[in-house]
Amino acid sequence: MITEFLDSRRTTGLKMPGDVKAFIVQLFNKLAFDRHVAFEEAEQFVGFQTIVVAMGSLGQILPKPFYMFLSSTSRQYAQYVLEMIVSGGKFNNIGGLGMGH
């Protein structure tokens, strides 16, 4: 997996830190959930993760009436978490929800 990543970056060039972050997403998904994640999907997740982190910080200073503007990101985050739980990976009983096989 590491060799494939490095070989692919030889032809396209290594973009820091985005490519490394995307590779870490791929690696963690494989190790934790035994789930293959395409590099493009990992890049999308890294972009989304960046937004979630920023909104977490921003949410600390926003007055409550503005929380409604964060709801679509919250739903998308919940969708990612649910996908991990039901994917049937090694940790398919996260939080005792028993949603694996």
Side-chain angles (χ1 to χ4, degrees), residues 9-20:
R9 297 302 101 191
R10 272 195 198 116
T11 58
T12 62
L14 182 63
K15 293 176 270 177
M16 293 293 286
D19 285 355
V20 174

Side-chain angles (χ1 to χ4, degrees), residues 15-17 25 39 53 56 58 62 65 70 76 85 90 93 96:
K15 293 176 270 177
M16 293 293 286
V25 168
F39 191 76
V53 169
L58 181 62
L62 279 180
L70 307 178
Q76 189 176 1
I85 292 170
K90 293 178 185 175
N93 195 19

Side-chain angles (χ1 to χ4, degrees), residues 29-61:
N29 269 275
K30 186 64 179 167
L31 294 174
F33 302 107
D34 197 24
R35 177 178 180 264
H36 172 76
V37 174
F39 191 76
E40 295 76 20
E41 184 182 356
E43 286 180 306
Q44 290 174 354
F45 178 79
V46 168
F48 176 69
Q49 182 182 41
T50 302
I51 292 169
V52 168
V53 169
M55 292 183 89
S57 300
L58 181 62
Q60 298 299 313
I61 60 171

